């Protein structure tokens, strides 16, 4: 993580750890190698996505006059961000149906 200052306001950017990014890579096909630079780029891109999804989710919570983001806010944000293909997998995970043995390190299936 690092700090960035915009208009004299420090903003904290979180980077997904390389451990999390590395756990995702068993989902790619056999024989595909991922360079260190590509892992770092994916980590940064994923971090930006998470920040954007959180911001959009927060907008839905604020419209409902709440300070806490809930799962429905996240699902609505995915639709607004035009990632509606994630809605059904997210709903399945919320119902407890995403636990599989497809990735033993994570204990979940990544869509």
């Amino acid at each position: 993580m690092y700090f960035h200052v915009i208009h004299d306001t420090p903003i904290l950017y979180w980077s997904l750890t390389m451990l999390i990014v590395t756990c995702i890579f068993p989902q790619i096909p056999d024989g595909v190698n991922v360079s260190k630079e590509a892992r770092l780029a994916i980590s940064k891109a994923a971090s930006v996505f998470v920040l954007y999804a959180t911001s959009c989710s927060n907008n839905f919570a604020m419209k409902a006059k709440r300070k806490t983001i809930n799962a429905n806010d996240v699902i609505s944000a995915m639709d607004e961000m035009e990632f509606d293909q994630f809605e059904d997998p997210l709903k399945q995970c919320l119902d407890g149906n995403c636990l599989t043995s497809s990735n033993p390190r994570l204990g979940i299936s990544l869509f």
Side-chain angles (χ1 to χ4, degrees), residues 38-93:
R39 290 174 191 258
L40 181 61
I42 290 168
S43 174
K44 296 295 180 185
S47 297
V48 169
F49 175 79
V50 169
L51 288 170
Y52 181 50
T54 302
S55 176
C56 289
S57 300
N58 187 52
N59 289 341
F60 282 100
M62 287 175 27
K63 287 177 188 175
K65 299 182 181 180
R66 289 183 280 105
K67 292 185 179 183
T68 303
I69 297 170
N70 64 31
N72 288 330
D73 297 328
V74 175
I75 292 169
S76 296
M78 290 296 122
D79 186 50
E80 181 176 288
M81 294 171 11
E82 298 182 9
F83 285 101
D84 50 332
Q85 69 271 23
F86 292 136
E87 286 184 49
D88 287 337
L90 285 172
K91 288 176 184 176
Q92 289 176 1
C93 280

